[in-house]
Amino acid sequence: MDSVLATTAWYSPSWLFPPALSQFDWVNSFWLYLIPTIPAIFALRWLINLKFGRKLHVAFSKSEIRSSPITYLRFIPPMLFALALTMVMIALARPQKSSETIEQWSEGIDIMLAIDISQSMEIEDFKPNRLEAAKDVAEEFISGRFRDRIGIVIFSGDAYSLTPLTTDYDLLRENIDEIDFDMIQKSGTAIGSAIGVSTNRMRESDAKSKVIILLSDGDNTAGNIDPITAAKLAEAYGIKIYTIGIGKNGRVPWGKDFFGRPRYVESYLNEKTLKEIAEIGHGQFFRATNNKALEEIFDRIDNYEKVKIKENKYKNTEDFYSIYLKWAIVFFLAWLATKLTFINNILED
């Protein structure tokens, strides 16, 4: 409707009907409440004239008295004057249309998710297992970001970049869905290599904030770079590191035996290295022992690494009172014209 109003000529009758009037915002809306008084004033004037007006008594025989529709033309001048007054009151109410444009932007953050896919991530103390739980919360984390570039590194006995930094969140979710234990054949847990690959991906980034979120359930047992050395290298490039230790200590379920019964293994996470990495990277270490705890950790990191979304609002207001003033002039001139014709002198019955 807004575009229709913008292209409608002022002399179009559509301006006078409710569909057009209902689209406006009114600055002085109290004038609209006075419009019903206009017909009331004319009705009162008619009653006064009927009671006190001068009457011309003319005698006609019954056979000579005829009703003529021409007598109703006498109502045209007061109707035109009432319409002129109505248009003036609509103009005084200041009809307007406002459109608001909002521009949003943020400087964005570069985030690398480094996800452990070693065989121990198959342990089922998380549902359905550690890796699938990590994938689920990673996807939720991505869905909550705004204009941040996110990349994915996977690691076990070696590490490689699965997805470069991108804002294509659909692609990121697809790649996370496809993460599997068989993607890296070399066994072990190369935490240092994972940090090194993540750092290499962010080395030339000019983002205001750069973050690595490393999720693992084991000690560094593979790779050609020490985790502490890798963390110091990341810190030199201004990269913050959050580390998440995943898994319970003690007996945990891992697959089933020959008879289909749950098989249990001993699990132990050495937190020392992960804590030291987070300290060097000016981040924080978290320990997740179940699905809910892992979700809460990612929620906390999500809140820590939110940038302020800035916005500009532009409001454009257009007045339409001039259209109704023009209509008021048209109706007023029409009233003057009819006042000078025989219509104004038609006798009432």
Side-chain angles (χ1 to χ4, degrees), residues 1-36:
M1 185 64 186
D2 292 352
S3 59
V4 174
L5 285 178
T7 57
T8 303
W10 73 267
Y11 48 80
S12 171
S14 62
W15 293 102
L16 309 180
F17 295 98
L21 293 169
S22 64
Q23 300 298 310
F24 295 127
D25 300 317
W26 304 91
V27 178
N28 305 315
S29 59
F30 66 90
W31 287 103
L32 299 177
Y33 297 107
L34 296 179
I35 291 176

PDB file of all heavy atoms in Angstrom, residues 1-36:
ATOM      1  N   MET A   1       0.832  -1.206   0.000  1.00  0.00           N
ATOM      2  CA  MET A   1       0.000   0.000   0.000  1.00  0.00           C
ATOM      3  C   MET A   1       0.865   1.254   0.000  1.00  0.00           C
ATOM      4  O   MET A   1       0.525   2.261  -0.594  1.00  0.00           O
ATOM      5  CB  MET A   1      -0.930  -0.026   1.225  1.00  0.00           C
ATOM      6  CG  MET A   1      -1.928   1.132   1.257  1.00  0.00           C
ATOM      7  SD  MET A   1      -3.081   1.057  -0.111  1.00  0.00           S
ATOM      8  CE  MET A   1      -3.973   2.576   0.072  1.00  0.00           C
ATOM      9  N   ASP A   2       2.003   1.209   0.667  1.00  0.00           N
ATOM     10  CA  ASP A   2       2.875   2.386   0.716  1.00  0.00           C
ATOM     11  C   ASP A   2       3.318   2.803  -0.672  1.00  0.00           C
ATOM     12  O   ASP A   2       3.313   3.980  -1.015  1.00  0.00           O
ATOM     13  CB  ASP A   2       4.107   2.089   1.566  1.00  0.00           C
ATOM     14  CG  ASP A   2       3.731   1.929   3.039  1.00  0.00           C
ATOM     15  OD1 ASP A   2       2.561   2.200   3.345  1.00  0.00           O
ATOM     16  OD2 ASP A   2       4.598   1.552   3.829  1.00  0.00           O
ATOM     17  N   SER A   3       3.715   1.838  -1.501  1.00  0.00           N
ATOM     18  CA  SER A   3       4.161   2.159  -2.848  1.00  0.00           C
ATOM     19  C   SER A   3       3.017   2.686  -3.691  1.00  0.00           C
ATOM     20  O   SER A   3       3.210   3.521  -4.566  1.00  0.00           O
ATOM     21  CB  SER A   3       4.782   0.920  -3.498  1.00  0.00           C
ATOM     22  OG  SER A   3       3.838  -0.129  -3.555  1.00  0.00           O
ATOM     23  N   VAL A   4       1.784   2.189  -3.443  1.00  0.00           N
ATOM     24  CA  VAL A   4       0.613   2.679  -4.177  1.00  0.00           C
ATOM     25  C   VAL A   4       0.365   4.134  -3.836  1.00  0.00           C
ATOM     26  O   VAL A   4       0.107   4.963  -4.711  1.00  0.00           O
ATOM     27  CB  VAL A   4      -0.625   1.814  -3.851  1.00  0.00           C
ATOM     28  CG1 VAL A   4      -1.875   2.405  -4.489  1.00  0.00           C
ATOM     29  CG2 VAL A   4      -0.410   0.388  -4.333  1.00  0.00           C
ATOM     30  N   LEU A   5       0.432   4.480  -2.550  1.00  0.00           N
ATOM     31  CA  LEU A   5       0.235   5.869  -2.132  1.00  0.00           C
ATOM     32  C   LEU A   5       1.260   6.794  -2.777  1.00  0.00           C
ATOM     33  O   LEU A   5       0.943   7.903  -3.196  1.00  0.00           O
ATOM     34  CB  LEU A   5       0.342   5.981  -0.613  1.00  0.00           C
ATOM     35  CG  LEU A   5      -0.845   5.472   0.223  1.00  0.00           C
ATOM     36  CD1 LEU A   5      -0.526   5.611   1.687  1.00  0.00           C
ATOM     37  CD2 LEU A   5      -2.126   6.203  -0.113  1.00  0.00           C
ATOM     38  N   ALA A   6       2.495   6.328  -2.842  1.00  0.00           N
ATOM     39  CA  ALA A   6       3.573   7.170  -3.361  1.00  0.00           C
ATOM     40  C   ALA A   6       3.385   7.522  -4.820  1.00  0.00           C
ATOM     41  O   ALA A   6       3.858   8.555  -5.290  1.00  0.00           O
ATOM     42  CB  ALA A   6       4.916   6.470  -3.155  1.00  0.00           C
ATOM     43  N   THR A   7       2.691   6.665  -5.568  1.00  0.00           N
ATOM     44  CA  THR A   7       2.530   6.887  -7.003  1.00  0.00           C
ATOM     45  C   THR A   7       1.133   7.369  -7.378  1.00  0.00           C
ATOM     46  O   THR A   7       0.828   7.505  -8.559  1.00  0.00           O
ATOM     47  CB  THR A   7       2.833   5.586  -7.773  1.00  0.00           C
ATOM     48  OG1 THR A   7       1.966   4.542  -7.306  1.00  0.00           O
ATOM     49  CG2 THR A   7       4.277   5.164  -7.565  1.00  0.00           C
ATOM     50  N   THR A   8       0.269   7.625  -6.400  1.00  0.00           N
ATOM     51  CA  THR A   8      -1.110   8.050  -6.671  1.00  0.00           C
ATOM     52  C   THR A   8      -1.185   9.573  -6.749  1.00  0.00           C
ATOM     53  O   THR A   8      -0.696  10.270  -5.854  1.00  0.00           O
ATOM     54  CB  THR A   8      -2.068   7.537  -5.580  1.00  0.00           C
ATOM     55  OG1 THR A   8      -1.957   6.122  -5.502  1.00  0.00           O
ATOM     56  CG2 THR A   8      -3.502   7.918  -5.897  1.00  0.00           C
ATOM     57  N   ALA A   9      -1.788  10.084  -7.807  1.00  0.00           N
ATOM     58  CA  ALA A   9      -1.942  11.534  -7.964  1.00  0.00           C
ATOM     59  C   ALA A   9      -2.876  12.077  -6.884  1.00  0.00           C
ATOM     60  O   ALA A   9      -3.790  11.382  -6.428  1.00  0.00           O
ATOM     61  CB  ALA A   9      -2.500  11.851  -9.353  1.00  0.00           C
ATOM     62  N   TRP A  10      -2.665  13.359  -6.516  1.00  0.00           N
ATOM     63  CA  TRP A  10      -3.431  13.930  -5.403  1.00  0.00           C
ATOM     64  C   TRP A  10      -4.915  13.997  -5.718  1.00  0.00           C
ATOM     65  O   TRP A  10      -5.759  13.945  -4.812  1.00  0.00           O
ATOM     66  CB  TRP A  10      -2.912  15.322  -5.044  1.00  0.00           C
ATOM     67  CG  TRP A  10      -3.267  16.390  -6.063  1.00  0.00           C
ATOM     68  CD1 TRP A  10      -2.518  16.800  -7.105  1.00  0.00           C
ATOM     69  CD2 TRP A  10      -4.483  17.151  -6.111  1.00  0.00           C
ATOM     70  NE1 TRP A  10      -3.158  17.768  -7.819  1.00  0.00           N
ATOM     71  CE2 TRP A  10      -4.387  18.006  -7.229  1.00  0.00           C
ATOM     72  CE3 TRP A  10      -5.631  17.194  -5.342  1.00  0.00           C
ATOM     73  CZ2 TRP A  10      -5.400  18.891  -7.582  1.00  0.00           C
ATOM     74  CZ3 TRP A  10      -6.651  18.072  -5.678  1.00  0.00           C
ATOM     75  CH2 TRP A  10      -6.529  18.914  -6.800  1.00  0.00           C
ATOM     76  N   TYR A  11      -5.259  14.122  -6.985  1.00  0.00           N
ATOM     77  CA  TYR A  11      -6.665  14.280  -7.356  1.00  0.00           C
ATOM     78  C   TYR A  11      -7.394  12.945  -7.498  1.00  0.00           C
ATOM     79  O   TYR A  11      -8.572  12.901  -7.865  1.00  0.00           O
ATOM     80  CB  TYR A  11      -6.789  15.078  -8.673  1.00  0.00           C
ATOM     81  CG  TYR A  11      -5.877  14.602  -9.775  1.00  0.00           C
ATOM     82  CD1 TYR A  11      -6.194  13.492 -10.546  1.00  0.00           C
ATOM     83  CD2 TYR A  11      -4.678  15.269 -10.022  1.00  0.00           C
ATOM     84  CE1 TYR A  11      -5.337  13.055 -11.551  1.00  0.00           C
ATOM     85  CE2 TYR A  11      -3.811  14.829 -11.026  1.00  0.00           C
ATOM     86  CZ  TYR A  11      -4.156  13.732 -11.791  1.00  0.00           C
ATOM     87  OH  TYR A  11      -3.323  13.295 -12.781  1.00  0.00           O
ATOM     88  N   SER A  12      -6.726  11.849  -7.197  1.00  0.00           N
ATOM     89  CA  SER A  12      -7.386  10.543  -7.239  1.00  0.00           C
ATOM     90  C   SER A  12      -8.384  10.435  -6.087  1.00  0.00           C
ATOM     91  O   SER A  12      -8.042  10.719  -4.941  1.00  0.00           O
ATOM     92  CB  SER A  12      -6.364   9.417  -7.144  1.00  0.00           C
ATOM     93  OG  SER A  12      -7.011   8.170  -6.966  1.00  0.00           O
ATOM     94  N   PRO A  13      -9.615  10.011  -6.349  1.00  0.00           N
ATOM     95  CA  PRO A  13     -10.611   9.866  -5.270  1.00  0.00           C
ATOM     96  C   PRO A  13     -10.217   8.848  -4.211  1.00  0.00           C
ATOM     97  O   PRO A  13     -10.783   8.840  -3.115  1.00  0.00           O
ATOM     98  CB  PRO A  13     -11.874   9.402  -6.018  1.00  0.00           C
ATOM     99  CG  PRO A  13     -11.663   9.810  -7.448  1.00  0.00           C
ATOM    100  CD  PRO A  13     -10.184   9.726  -7.674  1.00  0.00           C
ATOM    101  N   SER A  14      -9.244   7.987  -4.507  1.00  0.00           N
ATOM    102  CA  SER A  14      -8.850   6.950  -3.539  1.00  0.00           C
ATOM    103  C   SER A  14      -8.334   7.544  -2.233  1.00  0.00           C
ATOM    104  O   SER A  14      -8.370   6.885  -1.185  1.00  0.00           O
ATOM    105  CB  SER A  14      -7.781   6.035  -4.145  1.00  0.00           C
ATOM    106  OG  SER A  14      -6.609   6.764  -4.467  1.00  0.00           O
ATOM    107  N   TRP A  15      -7.840   8.795  -2.254  1.00  0.00           N
ATOM    108  CA  TRP A  15      -7.359   9.439  -1.036  1.00  0.00           C
ATOM    109  C   TRP A  15      -8.487   9.660  -0.028  1.00  0.00           C
ATOM    110  O   TRP A  15      -8.215   9.844   1.164  1.00  0.00           O
ATOM    111  CB  TRP A  15      -6.735  10.792  -1.361  1.00  0.00           C
ATOM    112  CG  TRP A  15      -5.471  10.717  -2.156  1.00  0.00           C
ATOM    113  CD1 TRP A  15      -5.313  10.942  -3.492  1.00  0.00           C
ATOM    114  CD2 TRP A  15      -4.161  10.393  -1.664  1.00  0.00           C
ATOM    115  NE1 TRP A  15      -4.009  10.776  -3.866  1.00  0.00           N
ATOM    116  CE2 TRP A  15      -3.264  10.441  -2.761  1.00  0.00           C
ATOM    117  CE3 TRP A  15      -3.652  10.063  -0.406  1.00  0.00           C
ATOM    118  CZ2 TRP A  15      -1.907  10.171  -2.638  1.00  0.00           C
ATOM    119  CZ3 TRP A  15      -2.304   9.806  -0.277  1.00  0.00           C
ATOM    120  CH2 TRP A  15      -1.441   9.852  -1.387  1.00  0.00           C
ATOM    121  N   LEU A  16      -9.720   9.669  -0.483  1.00  0.00           N
ATOM    122  CA  LEU A  16     -10.847  10.026   0.377  1.00  0.00           C
ATOM    123  C   LEU A  16     -11.454   8.834   1.093  1.00  0.00           C
ATOM    124  O   LEU A  16     -12.359   9.007   1.924  1.00  0.00           O
ATOM    125  CB  LEU A  16     -11.934  10.726  -0.452  1.00  0.00           C
ATOM    126  CG  LEU A  16     -11.464  11.893  -1.334  1.00  0.00           C
ATOM    127  CD1 LEU A  16     -12.639  12.478  -2.098  1.00  0.00           C
ATOM    128  CD2 LEU A  16     -10.803  12.965  -0.476  1.00  0.00           C
ATOM    129  N   PHE A  17     -11.017   7.632   0.804  1.00  0.00           N
ATOM    130  CA  PHE A  17     -11.663   6.437   1.328  1.00  0.00           C
ATOM    131  C   PHE A  17     -10.814   5.766   2.409  1.00  0.00           C
ATOM    132  O   PHE A  17      -9.581   5.951   2.474  1.00  0.00           O
ATOM    133  CB  PHE A  17     -11.969   5.470   0.185  1.00  0.00           C
ATOM    134  CG  PHE A  17     -12.977   6.021  -0.795  1.00  0.00           C
ATOM    135  CD1 PHE A  17     -12.561   6.619  -1.979  1.00  0.00           C
ATOM    136  CD2 PHE A  17     -14.335   5.979  -0.508  1.00  0.00           C
ATOM    137  CE1 PHE A  17     -13.476   7.129  -2.872  1.00  0.00           C
ATOM    138  CE2 PHE A  17     -15.262   6.496  -1.396  1.00  0.00           C
ATOM    139  CZ  PHE A  17     -14.842   7.074  -2.584  1.00  0.00           C
ATOM    140  N   PRO A  18     -11.452   4.980   3.276  1.00  0.00           N
ATOM    141  CA  PRO A  18     -10.761   4.367   4.428  1.00  0.00           C
ATOM    142  C   PRO A  18      -9.474   3.608   4.107  1.00  0.00           C
ATOM    143  O   PRO A  18      -8.522   3.685   4.888  1.00  0.00           O
ATOM    144  CB  PRO A  18     -11.834   3.443   5.028  1.00  0.00           C
ATOM    145  CG  PRO A  18     -13.123   4.101   4.680  1.00  0.00           C
ATOM    146  CD  PRO A  18     -12.900   4.702   3.318  1.00  0.00           C
ATOM    147  N   PRO A  19      -9.368   2.823   2.999  1.00  0.00           N
ATOM    148  CA  PRO A  19      -8.122   2.095   2.760  1.00  0.00           C
ATOM    149  C   PRO A  19      -6.881   2.991   2.742  1.00  0.00           C
ATOM    150  O   PRO A  19      -5.820   2.607   3.229  1.00  0.00           O
ATOM    151  CB  PRO A  19      -8.355   1.427   1.399  1.00  0.00           C
ATOM    152  CG  PRO A  19      -9.826   1.238   1.332  1.00  0.00           C
ATOM    153  CD  PRO A  19     -10.400   2.446   1.996  1.00  0.00           C
ATOM    154  N   ALA A  20      -7.031   4.211   2.172  1.00  0.00           N
ATOM    155  CA  ALA A  20      -5.899   5.138   2.143  1.00  0.00           C
ATOM    156  C   ALA A  20      -5.695   5.794   3.510  1.00  0.00           C
ATOM    157  O   ALA A  20      -4.575   5.889   4.016  1.00  0.00           O
ATOM    158  CB  ALA A  20      -6.104   6.200   1.075  1.00  0.00           C
ATOM    159  N   LEU A  21      -6.799   6.218   4.128  1.00  0.00           N
ATOM    160  CA  LEU A  21      -6.702   6.911   5.412  1.00  0.00           C
ATOM    161  C   LEU A  21      -6.149   6.013   6.516  1.00  0.00           C
ATOM    162  O   LEU A  21      -5.471   6.490   7.428  1.00  0.00           O
ATOM    163  CB  LEU A  21      -8.087   7.434   5.818  1.00  0.00           C
ATOM    164  CG  LEU A  21      -8.663   8.546   4.918  1.00  0.00           C
ATOM    165  CD1 LEU A  21     -10.120   8.789   5.248  1.00  0.00           C
ATOM    166  CD2 LEU A  21      -7.867   9.836   5.085  1.00  0.00           C
ATOM    167  N   SER A  22      -6.432   4.716   6.427  1.00  0.00           N
ATOM    168  CA  SER A  22      -5.981   3.795   7.478  1.00  0.00           C
ATOM    169  C   SER A  22      -4.471   3.556   7.458  1.00  0.00           C
ATOM    170  O   SER A  22      -3.916   3.004   8.404  1.00  0.00           O
ATOM    171  CB  SER A  22      -6.709   2.455   7.343  1.00  0.00           C
ATOM    172  OG  SER A  22      -6.365   1.825   6.110  1.00  0.00           O
ATOM    173  N   GLN A  23      -3.790   3.979   6.388  1.00  0.00           N
ATOM    174  CA  GLN A  23      -2.344   3.753   6.276  1.00  0.00           C
ATOM    175  C   GLN A  23      -1.507   4.814   6.980  1.00  0.00           C
ATOM    176  O   GLN A  23      -0.307   4.656   7.129  1.00  0.00           O
ATOM    177  CB  GLN A  23      -1.933   3.727   4.787  1.00  0.00           C
ATOM    178  CG  GLN A  23      -2.601   2.650   3.973  1.00  0.00           C
ATOM    179  CD  GLN A  23      -2.267   1.263   4.472  1.00  0.00           C
ATOM    180  OE1 GLN A  23      -1.102   0.940   4.667  1.00  0.00           O
ATOM    181  NE2 GLN A  23      -3.277   0.452   4.696  1.00  0.00           N
ATOM    182  N   PHE A  24      -2.166   5.878   7.430  1.00  0.00           N
ATOM    183  CA  PHE A  24      -1.408   7.019   7.948  1.00  0.00           C
ATOM    184  C   PHE A  24      -1.133   6.930   9.443  1.00  0.00           C
ATOM    185  O   PHE A  24      -1.864   6.296  10.206  1.00  0.00           O
ATOM    186  CB  PHE A  24      -2.163   8.323   7.674  1.00  0.00           C
ATOM    187  CG  PHE A  24      -2.300   8.662   6.213  1.00  0.00           C
ATOM    188  CD1 PHE A  24      -3.539   8.939   5.655  1.00  0.00           C
ATOM    189  CD2 PHE A  24      -1.192   8.696   5.384  1.00  0.00           C
ATOM    190  CE1 PHE A  24      -3.665   9.256   4.319  1.00  0.00           C
ATOM    191  CE2 PHE A  24      -1.305   9.016   4.048  1.00  0.00           C
ATOM    192  CZ  PHE A  24      -2.551   9.291   3.522  1.00  0.00           C
ATOM    193  N   ASP A  25      -0.064   7.612   9.857  1.00  0.00           N
ATOM    194  CA  ASP A  25       0.144   7.974  11.257  1.00  0.00           C
ATOM    195  C   ASP A  25      -0.336   9.412  11.408  1.00  0.00           C
ATOM    196  O   ASP A  25      -0.122  10.233  10.515  1.00  0.00           O
ATOM    197  CB  ASP A  25       1.629   7.879  11.624  1.00  0.00           C
ATOM    198  CG  ASP A  25       2.170   6.476  11.425  1.00  0.00           C
ATOM    199  OD1 ASP A  25       1.477   5.522  11.799  1.00  0.00           O
ATOM    200  OD2 ASP A  25       3.285   6.347  10.882  1.00  0.00           O
ATOM    201  N   TRP A  26      -0.971   9.710  12.546  1.00  0.00           N
ATOM    202  CA  TRP A  26      -1.588  11.029  12.719  1.00  0.00           C
ATOM    203  C   TRP A  26      -0.868  11.779  13.833  1.00  0.00           C
ATOM    204  O   TRP A  26      -0.772  11.307  14.966  1.00  0.00           O
ATOM    205  CB  TRP A  26      -3.066  10.878  13.037  1.00  0.00           C
ATOM    206  CG  TRP A  26      -3.802  10.093  11.996  1.00  0.00           C
ATOM    207  CD1 TRP A  26      -4.003   8.747  11.974  1.00  0.00           C
ATOM    208  CD2 TRP A  26      -4.394  10.605  10.796  1.00  0.00           C
ATOM    209  NE1 TRP A  26      -4.694   8.383  10.841  1.00  0.00           N
ATOM    210  CE2 TRP A  26      -4.945   9.508  10.095  1.00  0.00           C
ATOM    211  CE3 TRP A  26      -4.501  11.883  10.242  1.00  0.00           C
ATOM    212  CZ2 TRP A  26      -5.599   9.645   8.883  1.00  0.00           C
ATOM    213  CZ3 TRP A  26      -5.172  12.030   9.033  1.00  0.00           C
ATOM    214  CH2 TRP A  26      -5.707  10.919   8.366  1.00  0.00           C
ATOM    215  N   VAL A  27      -0.379  12.972  13.496  1.00  0.00           N
ATOM    216  CA  VAL A  27       0.345  13.786  14.479  1.00  0.00           C
ATOM    217  C   VAL A  27      -0.632  14.448  15.441  1.00  0.00           C
ATOM    218  O   VAL A  27      -0.411  14.465  16.650  1.00  0.00           O
ATOM    219  CB  VAL A  27       1.202  14.866  13.770  1.00  0.00           C
ATOM    220  CG1 VAL A  27       1.906  15.744  14.798  1.00  0.00           C
ATOM    221  CG2 VAL A  27       2.211  14.217  12.837  1.00  0.00           C
ATOM    222  N   ASN A  28      -1.724  15.008  14.919  1.00  0.00           N
ATOM    223  CA  ASN A  28      -2.734  15.688  15.742  1.00  0.00           C
ATOM    224  C   ASN A  28      -4.058  14.963  15.591  1.00  0.00           C
ATOM    225  O   ASN A  28      -5.024  15.494  15.002  1.00  0.00           O
ATOM    226  CB  ASN A  28      -2.869  17.157  15.324  1.00  0.00           C
ATOM    227  CG  ASN A  28      -1.546  17.895  15.353  1.00  0.00           C
ATOM    228  OD1 ASN A  28      -0.783  17.762  16.307  1.00  0.00           O
ATOM    229  ND2 ASN A  28      -1.263  18.664  14.321  1.00  0.00           N
ATOM    230  N   SER A  29      -4.134  13.780  16.128  1.00  0.00           N
ATOM    231  CA  SER A  29      -5.297  12.923  15.861  1.00  0.00           C
ATOM    232  C   SER A  29      -6.599  13.460  16.455  1.00  0.00           C
ATOM    233  O   SER A  29      -7.685  13.053  16.041  1.00  0.00           O
ATOM    234  CB  SER A  29      -5.036  11.505  16.382  1.00  0.00           C
ATOM    235  OG  SER A  29      -4.776  11.528  17.771  1.00  0.00           O
ATOM    236  N   PHE A  30      -6.516  14.388  17.427  1.00  0.00           N
ATOM    237  CA  PHE A  30      -7.763  14.885  18.047  1.00  0.00           C
ATOM    238  C   PHE A  30      -8.655  15.591  17.036  1.00  0.00           C
ATOM    239  O   PHE A  30      -9.876  15.659  17.216  1.00  0.00           O
ATOM    240  CB  PHE A  30      -7.456  15.804  19.246  1.00  0.00           C
ATOM    241  CG  PHE A  30      -6.773  17.085  18.885  1.00  0.00           C
ATOM    242  CD1 PHE A  30      -7.503  18.237  18.572  1.00  0.00           C
ATOM    243  CD2 PHE A  30      -5.386  17.151  18.866  1.00  0.00           C
ATOM    244  CE1 PHE A  30      -6.875  19.418  18.247  1.00  0.00           C
ATOM    245  CE2 PHE A  30      -4.751  18.332  18.535  1.00  0.00           C
ATOM    246  CZ  PHE A  30      -5.485  19.462  18.225  1.00  0.00           C
ATOM    247  N   TRP A  31      -8.080  16.132  15.946  1.00  0.00           N
ATOM    248  CA  TRP A  31      -8.903  16.765  14.913  1.00  0.00           C
ATOM    249  C   TRP A  31      -9.826  15.741  14.251  1.00  0.00           C
ATOM    250  O   TRP A  31     -10.925  16.101  13.794  1.00  0.00           O
ATOM    251  CB  TRP A  31      -8.029  17.433  13.851  1.00  0.00           C
ATOM    252  CG  TRP A  31      -7.380  18.695  14.332  1.00  0.00           C
ATOM    253  CD1 TRP A  31      -6.091  18.871  14.705  1.00  0.00           C
ATOM    254  CD2 TRP A  31      -8.011  19.980  14.479  1.00  0.00           C
ATOM    255  NE1 TRP A  31      -5.855  20.166  15.099  1.00  0.00           N
ATOM    256  CE2 TRP A  31      -7.034  20.874  14.953  1.00  0.00           C
ATOM    257  CE3 TRP A  31      -9.304  20.458  14.255  1.00  0.00           C
ATOM    258  CZ2 TRP A  31      -7.301  22.207  15.225  1.00  0.00           C
ATOM    259  CZ3 TRP A  31      -9.583  21.798  14.514  1.00  0.00           C
ATOM    260  CH2 TRP A  31      -8.583  22.659  14.996  1.00  0.00           C
ATOM    261  N   LEU A  32      -9.400  14.506  14.195  1.00  0.00           N
ATOM    262  CA  LEU A  32     -10.240  13.472  13.582  1.00  0.00           C
ATOM    263  C   LEU A  32     -11.518  13.235  14.394  1.00  0.00           C
ATOM    264  O   LEU A  32     -12.568  12.913  13.833  1.00  0.00           O
ATOM    265  CB  LEU A  32      -9.456  12.157  13.451  1.00  0.00           C
ATOM    266  CG  LEU A  32      -8.199  12.205  12.585  1.00  0.00           C
ATOM    267  CD1 LEU A  32      -7.484  10.857  12.620  1.00  0.00           C
ATOM    268  CD2 LEU A  32      -8.545  12.584  11.140  1.00  0.00           C
ATOM    269  N   TYR A  33     -11.391  13.402  15.733  1.00  0.00           N
ATOM    270  CA  TYR A  33     -12.572  13.185  16.579  1.00  0.00           C
ATOM    271  C   TYR A  33     -13.597  14.312  16.436  1.00  0.00           C
ATOM    272  O   TYR A  33     -14.737  14.167  16.880  1.00  0.00           O
ATOM    273  CB  TYR A  33     -12.133  13.053  18.039  1.00  0.00           C
ATOM    274  CG  TYR A  33     -11.238  11.865  18.277  1.00  0.00           C
ATOM    275  CD1 TYR A  33      -9.877  12.027  18.512  1.00  0.00           C
ATOM    276  CD2 TYR A  33     -11.743  10.559  18.239  1.00  0.00           C
ATOM    277  CE1 TYR A  33      -9.043  10.928  18.716  1.00  0.00           C
ATOM    278  CE2 TYR A  33     -10.921   9.468  18.445  1.00  0.00           C
ATOM    279  CZ  TYR A  33      -9.575   9.658  18.671  1.00  0.00           C
ATOM    280  OH  TYR A  33      -8.768   8.568  18.860  1.00  0.00           O
ATOM    281  N   LEU A  34     -13.171  15.428  15.840  1.00  0.00           N
ATOM    282  CA  LEU A  34     -14.106  16.545  15.634  1.00  0.00           C
ATOM    283  C   LEU A  34     -14.912  16.390  14.349  1.00  0.00           C
ATOM    284  O   LEU A  34     -15.916  17.091  14.154  1.00  0.00           O
ATOM    285  CB  LEU A  34     -13.341  17.874  15.609  1.00  0.00           C
ATOM    286  CG  LEU A  34     -12.632  18.281  16.908  1.00  0.00           C
ATOM    287  CD1 LEU A  34     -11.902  19.605  16.703  1.00  0.00           C
ATOM    288  CD2 LEU A  34     -13.630  18.380  18.047  1.00  0.00           C
ATOM    289  N   ILE A  35     -14.494  15.507  13.460  1.00  0.00           N
ATOM    290  CA  ILE A  35     -15.189  15.350  12.174  1.00  0.00           C
ATOM    291  C   ILE A  35     -16.662  14.973  12.359  1.00  0.00           C
ATOM    292  O   ILE A  35     -17.537  15.526  11.666  1.00  0.00           O
ATOM    293  CB  ILE A  35     -14.448  14.319  11.289  1.00  0.00           C
ATOM    294  CG1 ILE A  35     -13.100  14.908  10.851  1.00  0.00           C
ATOM    295  CG2 ILE A  35     -15.288  13.924  10.079  1.00  0.00           C
ATOM    296  CD1 ILE A  35     -12.229  13.956  10.059  1.00  0.00           C
ATOM    297  N   PRO A  36     -17.003  14.053  13.289  1.00  0.00           N
ATOM    298  CA  PRO A  36     -18.436  13.724  13.466  1.00  0.00           C
ATOM    299  C   PRO A  36     -19.287  14.908  13.898  1.00  0.00           C
ATOM    300  O   PRO A  36     -20.522  14.861  13.772  1.00  0.00           O
ATOM    301  CB  PRO A  36     -18.414  12.634  14.552  1.00  0.00           C
ATOM    302  CG  PRO A  36     -17.055  12.019  14.461  1.00  0.00           C
ATOM    303  CD  PRO A  36     -16.159  13.155  14.094  1.00  0.00           C
TER     304      PRO A  36
END
